[in-house]
Amino acid sequence: MGDILATEADLLGMITEYLKFGEFEETVQIFDKECRSKGKLVSKPRGSALRDSKTRVIQEDLLSSFDDGDQKVFFELWKENIPSEVKDLDSEAQGLEFYLHVHFTIFPLRSHPVRQDRTEFEERISLFKQYLETRGAALSQNTEFLPFYALPFVPSPAVHPSFKDLFKDTWIQQLKSRLDRFLTVTLKPSKIPRLMTLYVSFSFFYVIQQLQLQLAESDRRVSSYLRKFNKMQADYHNLIGITAELVDSLEATISGKMISPEYLQSVYARLFNNQMRQSGDFTRPGTASSMLRASIAPPRPKEVPMLPSLDYEKLKKDLIDGSDRLKSLLLQALRWRLTRSLPGEQRETVLQAYISNDLLGRYSTQQKTALLLMRSPNEIVRQYMARLINSFASLAEGRVYLSQIPILLKLLMDSLRKEEKDSLTRENVLVSLQKLSLRRSQQTVMIADDLIGWLIDELQDSDCLSDYTLDYSAALLMNLCLRTKGKKKCAENAKLVLKVLTDLLGHENHEIRPYVNGALYSILSIPSVRQEAKEMSVEEILRCYNKEKNQDLNRQIEFIIKQLNSDEEEGPESDDEDEEDDNDEDLLETDLNREEVLQPEHGELSGESLLTTEYLGIMTNMAKAKRRSTPLPQPHVDGPLQRPVTPSSHRNLTTR
């Protein structure tokens, strides 16, 4: 609750700051008066104060380095804090920078006039020469600076007529005053109010967000229309079936056969039943009725062609020994073969071929396997290896295969911690881990490696994460929190975990709410976490979010509050890692092939063409027994999630 009040005070402060900037003096007075009458706190414009403070520190550090003759520190600060357009285009800045180089060059001679430090002076003369040949070269045509180009060649500048004034205190003071004035003007913080800055900064992102919301709304409408269409189609088929039987009955009456009242009653029941189903005897011969039935007979399924077999030994060799570009193209082609294959037998055959030929080196005795490409110095290779692993993890049989590779999780978690925050490599690694977290044995390893701690740190700065990354981070955290080991890990730093989760409840991305609710509900089964939550007034925070239009989420909040106020102890958990939670569901998404950074050059083979031209093998495709999917356990209609899920499977479930 305290965070909400602080945010309100900060917002009111920004409004006041903007009104003062626009000189709405009467409005400011009325606004301040009304805030006081309502007991509302109005924060000071701390943003500008912080900027002013930071600016003063930088200016003082520059002046201090000037006095101490610390050339290295001074020009590092100069480079970092003076805008490039000022340094490169402003004549005043260029002239000042020139004299500053002169000052630091002769500083060893001026600081020790009796025993001059010739060694340090020679080093600085060398740096001064470099400056004159690079940035200082532009001033060589200016008569004001021309004499100083001879400074490196004068053995005793202190007594030379052209340079002896440089050693007087008055020259030093004048230069320092000039530097101080320049820094005051250049480092002067912007007076633009924070509200305007926020508007300008986020206007573009707001437009993108609106487009994303419109797209999501369009997707929901498409799903709704599709459900309606399927119902209409089923009703249509039912009507055709009934019509066919009625035609048969009419033909029978010509032969003198009577229609019984019971038959008519059964037709009426089927016509007006809300749960209509296709009916009629499709095997009985007839004239008009057979034609009607033929019109709705499902078309015979076309035979799905099997993709050509590949030479996997050659493929695996080139994945290890080939050039970085070849490795990237092969990883891309292998992923495309899997993701672009037709769902069903064709895709299952592709995946089975990858697994049976041990593409990723599960059973390899060699030290080098394709998986070690996750440690490649080439960023594209790492990214495309992560994309392929993500594709494997999207399929149930692929997750089984990946979970049997002992080194995999270590490679993925090391990559997660080392990759750049916004890189596609890290995004694919994160999503792969989330999908693997459906399996109990993989959860155990992730919890032991403190992946929960990493996720909590990451989610503290949730505004810097994309919606896609945020969805999978929250879902991964929830899956790990469902385990007793995960709950105990959260209990070690309960205050931080609770703060992060309650902050996420207010995030604009509402897709993460079920995962946040599930994680909260789960960890509140630990007594010590409940106690910490009560001290943090978590119940009051939850009730702030219990007034929204989404009744399902409101009921979940009620379940969480009930859990918070319960006295039940955490029950024992089975340690049998063979009791897997994976629901055998395939989770292949279109996002797997987005933002392809690797494009073939002119005449270069890629994709299926590369595989079938350079790596064609003996045809060994065999019919594979169709895997029977285990039904997804239905969650409590009102309560938080209590089974591991992925964002894609959860979306599929909630739209059914």
Side-chain angles (χ1 to χ4, degrees):
M1 199 68 180
D3 289 344
I4 296 174
L5 293 174
T7 302
E8 183 185 54
D10 202 30
L11 181 59
L12 294 174
M14 285 192 282
I15 294 171
T16 303
E17 182 186 17
Y18 176 78
L19 292 174
K20 289 180 179 179
F21 174 78
E23 298 181 351
F24 298 98
E25 296 176 0
E26 293 182 9
T27 307
V28 170
Q29 293 175 4
I30 295 171
F31 184 74
D32 286 342
K33 183 179 178 181
E34 191 165 1
C35 285
R36 286 195 298 271
S37 68
K38 292 180 178 292
K40 300 289 186 181
L41 295 176
V42 180
S43 70
K44 301 293 183 182
R46 58 181 181 178
S48 58
L50 289 172
R51 290 193 296 268
D52 290 342
S53 175
K54 182 180 178 182
T55 300
R56 285 196 298 271
V57 170
I58 294 171
Q59 187 167 344
E60 289 171 1
D61 287 346
L62 281 163
L63 292 173
S64 175
S65 300
F66 176 92
D67 291 334
D68 297 339
D70 195 337
Q71 184 175 12
K72 182 179 179 181
V73 172
F74 181 93
F75 282 110
E76 284 178 353
L77 291 169
W78 180 271
K79 182 178 180 181
E80 290 173 4
N81 297 285
I82 306 300
S84 299
E85 60 269 23
V86 175
K87 290 185 293 186
D88 298 337
L89 303 177
D90 184 74
S91 58
E92 170 64 17
Q94 291 176 333
L96 177 60
E97 184 178 355
F98 188 96
Y99 283 119
L100 288 169
H101 275 281
V102 172
H103 161 71
F104 286 109
T105 300
I106 64 173
F107 185 86
L109 302 182
R110 190 171 54 248
S111 58
H112 302 291
V114 179
R115 54 170 193 82
Q116 296 178 345
D117 191 342
R118 299 299 300 184
T119 303
E120 187 177 356
F121 176 68
E122 293 298 333
E123 291 176 358
R124 297 204 178 193
I125 280 290
S126 177
L127 294 174
F128 186 61
K129 286 181 181 178
Q130 292 178 20
Y131 167 73
L132 294 178
E133 293 168 0
T134 52
R135 288 183 58 81
L139 301 175
S140 61
Q141 304 303 315
N142 191 317
T143 55
E144 178 185 354
F145 305 107
L146 192 58
F148 295 96
Y149 285 78
L151 180 60
F153 309 100
V154 176
S156 302
V159 296
H160 194 281
S162 300
F163 305 119
K164 61 182 181 181
D165 289 340
L166 303 178
F167 294 83
K168 295 180 179 179
D169 292 339
T170 53
W171 186 85
I172 302 297
Q173 291 302 322
Q174 289 173 2
L175 180 60
K176 184 176 180 180
S177 298
R178 182 178 173 183
L179 172 63
D180 194 12
R181 290 193 301 272
F182 173 82
L183 294 176
T184 301
V185 174
T186 305
L187 299 177
K188 186 177 181 180
S190 172
K191 292 184 178 180
I192 298 175
R194 287 177 294 164
L195 195 60
M196 185 178 290
T197 302
L198 287 172
Y199 175 80
V200 173
S201 301
F202 293 102
S203 58
F204 172 77
F205 296 102
Y206 176 78
V207 172
I208 297 298
Q209 183 187 36
Q210 293 304 306
L211 290 174
Q212 290 174 337
L213 290 174
Q214 292 175 19
L215 182 60
E217 180 62 25
S218 298
D219 288 341
R220 283 193 290 271
R221 288 179 181 175
V222 168
S223 298
S224 175
Y225 294 150
L226 186 60
R227 287 194 294 271
K228 291 178 181 178
F229 168 79
N230 290 335
K231 185 179 184 303
M232 289 176 64
Q233 190 177 51
D235 293 347
Y236 167 76
H237 288 178
N238 190 42
L239 287 171
I240 292 295
I242 293 174
T243 303
E245 289 193 30
L246 289 175
V247 171
D248 284 341
S249 300
L250 287 173
E251 290 178 345
T253 59
I254 297 175
S255 304
K257 295 181 180 179
M258 299 297 292
I259 300 175
S260 68
E262 291 79 7
Y263 173 74
L264 287 176
Q265 187 176 1
S266 69
V267 171
Y268 291 152
R270 288 162 55 199
L271 275 173
F272 298 104
N273 187 354
N274 288 331
Q275 302 296 328
M276 291 187 191
R277 293 289 182 269
Q278 184 175 314
S279 61
D281 184 359
F282 284 83
T283 62
R284 186 177 60 184
T287 52
S289 61
S290 64
M291 294 176 62
L292 287 171
R293 291 189 181 99
S295 69
I296 62 169
R300 294 182 62 183
K302 297 179 181 179
E303 289 190 6
V304 178
M306 293 296 102
L307 296 173
S309 293
L310 304 176
D311 184 347
Y312 285 95
E313 291 306 315
K314 182 181 178 185
L315 257 172
K316 289 189 284 186
K317 184 177 185 301
D318 284 355
L319 280 173
I320 295 171
D321 300 328
S323 65
D324 285 340
R325 182 161 185 83
L326 177 59
K327 292 174 183 176
S328 301
L329 287 168
L330 286 175
L331 291 169
Q332 182 187 60
L334 290 165
R335 168 168 50 88
W336 282 355
R337 173 175 267 232
L338 187 59
T339 59
R340 295 180 177 181
S341 57
L342 297 174
E345 187 177 0
Q346 189 183 75
R347 180 170 293 158
E348 290 173 0
T349 304
V350 171
L351 180 61
Q352 192 59 34
Y354 287 0
I355 294 173
S356 60
N357 287 283
D358 198 17
L359 182 64
L360 300 183
R362 159 68 180 93
Y363 303 103
S364 175
T365 57
Q366 304 295 322
Q367 289 187 346
K368 291 185 178 180
T369 63
L371 269 181
L372 293 180
L373 294 179
M374 284 303 303
R375 293 175 176 169
S376 169
N378 186 290
E379 199 277 332
I380 302 297
V381 173
R382 297 197 306 275
Q383 180 191 139
Y384 278 69
M385 186 69 241
R387 285 174 180 260
L388 181 60
I389 294 172
N390 190 4
S391 301
F392 268 86
S394 301
L395 302 171
E397 294 293 334
R399 292 194 291 278
V400 173
Y401 174 61
L402 292 178
S403 66
Q404 296 170 351
I405 306 177
I407 195 177
L408 175 67
L409 286 183
K410 177 172 174 53
L411 288 172
L412 293 180
M413 288 189 282
D414 286 349
S415 177
L416 195 65
R417 293 179 170 107
K418 292 177 182 177
E419 291 291 340
E420 293 292 331
K421 192 163 192 172
D422 57 350
S423 73
L424 284 171
T425 305
R426 194 175 83 151
E427 184 178 275
N428 277 275
V429 167
L430 175 66
V431 175
S432 300
L433 286 168
Q434 202 286 323
K435 293 170 182 175
L436 288 169
S437 73
L438 292 173
R439 300 189 64 80
R440 190 180 177 88
S441 60
Q442 306 299 284
Q443 295 169 2
T444 301
V445 179
M446 294 179 198
I447 294 168
D449 200 34
D450 197 24
L451 187 55
I452 288 178
W454 183 90
L455 287 167
I456 292 296
D457 289 341
E458 192 75 4
L459 290 169
Q460 284 190 78
D461 196 12
S462 59
D463 290 337
C464 295
L465 303 177
S466 67
D467 284 345
Y468 187 68
T469 301
L470 185 58
D471 282 355
Y472 278 90
S473 297
L476 174 56
L477 177 62
M478 186 202 75
N479 287 357
L480 300 182
C481 287
L482 294 175
R483 294 286 302 280
T484 297
K485 294 176 182 176
K487 298 172 192 177
K488 291 179 178 178
K489 181 65 72 172
C490 291
E492 294 174 4
N493 197 358
K495 186 173 184 179
L496 177 61
V497 174
L498 288 168
K499 183 182 184 306
V500 170
L501 290 175
T502 51
D503 286 348
L504 287 174
L505 288 174
H507 198 280
E508 59 188 9
N509 180 2
H510 286 193
E511 296 291 332
I512 67 173
R513 287 285 293 275
Y515 317 127
V516 177
N517 289 343
L520 273 172
Y521 183 83
S522 181
I523 65 173
L524 286 172
S525 65
I526 302 291
S528 62
V529 178
R530 289 201 297 268
Q531 182 60 37
E532 185 66 47
K534 290 174 183 177
E535 293 175 4
M536 293 173 62
S537 302
V538 167
E539 182 173 349
E540 286 76 6
I541 297 173
L542 290 172
R543 294 200 181 279
C544 291
Y545 297 109
N546 199 23
K547 302 173 183 177
E548 300 183 8
K549 295 180 180 179
N550 192 321
Q551 294 302 315
D552 289 338
L553 293 178
N554 289 343
R555 283 190 289 269
Q556 289 179 18
I557 292 292
E558 289 299 330
F559 272 86
I560 297 171
I561 293 174
K562 184 177 179 181
Q563 176 82 304
L564 172 61
N565 293 317
S566 71
D567 296 322
E568 295 180 3
E569 295 289 334
E570 169 71 6
E573 180 184 50
S574 170
D575 292 326
D576 188 357
E577 300 297 344
D578 294 330
E579 296 180 9
E580 291 295 353
D581 289 320
D582 199 332
N583 52 57
D584 289 347
E585 187 177 8
D586 289 342
L587 314 165
L588 212 57
E589 311 142 306
T590 56
D591 295 311
L592 290 169
N593 294 326
R594 71 188 181 96
E595 297 185 40
E596 294 282 359
V597 296
L598 183 65
Q599 300 296 332
E601 298 174 354
H602 180 68
E604 187 177 35
L605 293 172
S606 66
E608 194 65 20
S609 298
L610 172 62
L611 295 178
T612 55
T613 302
E614 300 294 336
Y615 300 93
L616 192 62
I618 300 172
M619 184 64 71
T620 57
N621 285 330
M622 299 174 61
K624 178 181 177 291
K626 189 171 182 179
R627 173 176 52 84
R628 302 183 69 179
S629 176
T630 304
L632 185 69
Q634 298 291 321
H636 192 289
V637 67
D638 296 327
L641 294 170
Q642 298 179 49
R643 299 279 296 181
V645 297
T646 71
S648 55
S649 67
H650 180 63
R651 283 193 290 268
N652 292 340
L653 182 64
T654 54
T655 55
R656 287 176 186 172

